[in-house]
Amino acid sequence: MTVPAAGDGREDLSVAGRSIPLSLYIHVPWCLRKCPYCDFGSRPRPAALPEWAYRDALLRDLARELADLATPRPLTSIFIGGGTPSLLSGETIDGLLRGIRALADLAPDIEITLEANPGSADAARFAAYRAAGVNRLSIGVQTLAAEHLARLGRIHDPGQARAAVAAARAAGFANLNLDLMYGLPRQTAADMAADIEGAIALEPEHISYYQLTIEPDTPFGRARPPLPDEDLVADAHEAAVARLAAAGFAHYETSAFARPGRRCRHNLNYWAFGDYIGIGAGAHGKLTFAAPDRVARRIKREGPEAYLAARGHGGFASSEERLAEDDLALEFMLNALRLAEGFPVGLFEARTGLPIDRLLSRLEAAERRGLLILNDGWIRPSDLGRRFLDDLLGLFVR
């Protein structure tokens, strides 16, 4: 096998003559109630939510991160996640985005996403977010069946989910993502199909479709609920992919489906191994510097109290790690092979500083097993490789 020569690139993954894109992730560590399957860095909202203090800490954190950049780069996307960012007032989000604009250059077509839960938002709040500059909402619907919402510990009902979508449209949002989960406790194939139909009927521009995973340090991990048969889940997922394709949604990443022109640019930057600053309690970031040890991962202080306490001295980071070359290659492949179209050879070399030849034996093994296709300067997973992604990714683990 001959590794394909670098091609010209396609769409968002073009690399010729461009610096590594830079995104910003902002973590909001509070929620109304912790769900039994969630292992994200979040905790129930305190009686008095310290919105202004937290906004101030976020902006100080960002200022320090930007000072570490050798060459300023514009932010191509901002993602406000959590937790439940829609707990924050429109005034706080407006002040936060104004502060970010004062500190950093923003791309003219920047994508600014805010995660919202149906049980913690209303039309007025959505309108305030839109006025502040948020141009994409990601609504945590999870399922449109009341009994499954209850089993997941969600605080909203199907009517509130549909009302949240209507409120977002009324507020002027033309770019909506719906988060949907499948493989839920006691969920049948018919239930999963009904959720897909219900989500399509809400006419979003994007759907994130995730299988429920049981994490060990969660209530579900300690007392595992009855889950549907794995073969049933796999068949239902295959049917969902086909139905979404028929409805005009392209399956461009393992768990992501988008209408034309509505792929999530922020997440694409993760999967294409771009750079991102992470601010907020427990946030992760990844930045590329000059060789050697060119890629650094930084993690911020986990609890909101510790994070807020760092405002006085600016020590927001709890750890930093420089990735060794083998880890760098592995992390690139773990991300980029999630993309249906794969990646151009030049992207691997540009983002890691390594020659693609160092992966030659593993690429050959994947190709022999029919998991990978290499041609026209691109490396992409085959249909079989997408179906058995864990097997494909396992070939690149040391």
Side-chain angles (χ1 to χ4, degrees):
M1 182 204 77
T2 301
V3 175
D8 294 330
R10 305 176 193 170
E11 205 171 334
D12 303 86
L13 301 188
S14 176
V15 297
R18 298 186 184 183
S19 62
I20 297 176
L22 180 66
S23 296
L24 174 63
Y25 174 72
I26 303 168
H27 190 69
V28 177
W30 297 288
C31 51
L32 286 176
R33 184 174 66 194
K34 189 84 169 176
C35 298
Y37 58 85
C38 179
D39 71 339
F40 293 162
S42 63
R43 59 188 62 188
R45 177 179 62 179
L49 190 64
E51 293 194 29
W52 289 101
Y54 195 67
R55 186 211 64 179
D56 180 63
L58 289 171
L59 293 175
R60 294 188 187 203
D61 190 356
L62 177 60
R64 288 185 63 89
E65 290 280 351
L66 292 171
D68 285 347
L69 298 178
T71 303
R73 285 177 275 168
L75 296 176
T76 60
S77 65
I78 299 172
F79 195 102
I80 307 171
T84 305
S86 53
L87 289 175
L88 299 180
S89 68
E91 185 179 13
T92 295
I93 294 298
D94 181 64
L96 176 61
L97 293 178
R98 286 177 183 274
I100 292 169
R101 293 185 188 99
L103 292 169
D105 291 330
L106 274 58
D109 61 345
I110 188 168
E111 174 190 89
I112 304 178
T113 302
L114 183 141
E115 288 185 334
N117 283 341
S120 62
D122 54 38
R125 188 162 294 202
F126 282 167
Y129 296 155
R130 186 69 192 91
V134 176
N135 54 27
R136 183 175 184 269
L137 276 185
S138 180
I139 301 177
V141 171
Q142 313 309 352
T143 172
L144 288 163
E147 64 272 27
H148 297 310
L149 286 170
R151 292 188 185 113
L152 290 175
R154 304 294 293 181
I155 63 170
H156 70 273
D157 60 35
Q160 288 173 306
R162 294 183 174 93
V165 172
R169 295 302 193 194
F173 282 98
N175 196 0
L176 293 184
N177 169 65
L178 302 185
D179 274 348
L180 206 63
M181 298 174 70
Y182 67 98
L184 307 180
R186 304 185 188 281
Q187 193 176 37
T188 67
D191 292 335
M192 291 181 240
D195 269 349
I196 288 293
E197 292 298 333
I200 291 171
L202 291 172
E203 300 184 332
E205 284 68 38
H206 191 283
I207 293 176
S208 298
Y209 194 47
Y210 299 95
Q211 183 174 357
L212 173 66
T213 56
I214 304 299
E215 303 295 345
D217 191 24
T218 63
F220 274 7
R222 291 184 287 271
R224 190 179 180 89
L227 299 178
D229 176 77
E230 289 184 7
D231 289 339
L232 180 150
V233 170
D235 289 345
H237 179 264
E238 188 173 340
V241 170
R243 179 66 186 95
L244 287 166
F249 290 87
H251 189 193
Y252 70 96
E253 186 273 339
T254 302
S255 303
F257 302 78
R259 295 196 182 280
R262 293 301 194 179
R263 300 195 304 174
C264 177
R265 278 185 269 161
H266 186 86
N267 285 344
L268 275 172
N269 193 40
Y270 290 156
W271 298 319
F273 213 56
D275 281 352
Y276 56 97
I277 293 170
I279 60 174
H284 291 226
K286 173 247 173 189
L287 290 173
T288 305
F289 300 97
D293 300 329
R294 56 184 273 132
V295 172
R297 291 207 175 276
R298 188 173 292 167
I299 303 175
K300 300 302 168 63
R301 295 179 182 273
E302 180 71 28
E305 296 82 8
Y307 182 81
L308 285 167
R311 279 188 304 158
H313 53 79
F316 294 105
S318 63
S319 68
E320 181 173 318
E321 175 190 11
R322 295 288 176 123
L323 297 182
E325 288 188 354
D326 283 346
D327 293 330
L328 196 55
L330 170 62
E331 287 208 18
F332 178 94
M333 298 303 282
L334 290 179
N335 282 280
L337 288 178
R338 292 178 61 93
L339 292 166
E341 69 181 23
F343 61 92
V345 170
L347 188 74
F348 176 85
E349 296 171 352
R351 300 289 160 89
T352 67
L354 303 172
I356 194 68
D357 289 348
R358 73 179 293 130
L359 295 177
L360 182 59
S361 63
R362 302 182 192 200
L363 292 169
E364 288 176 335
E367 187 181 41
R368 283 195 303 270
R369 292 177 58 178
L371 300 173
L372 211 58
I373 296 172
L374 306 107
N375 61 19
D376 194 27
W378 280 68
I379 298 173
R380 67 176 178 87
S382 65
D383 290 342
L384 185 66
R386 294 183 70 189
R387 184 175 180 183
F388 296 98
L389 184 61
D390 287 345
D391 292 339
L392 172 57
L393 295 180
L395 294 174
F396 295 92
V397 178
R398 286 183 295 172

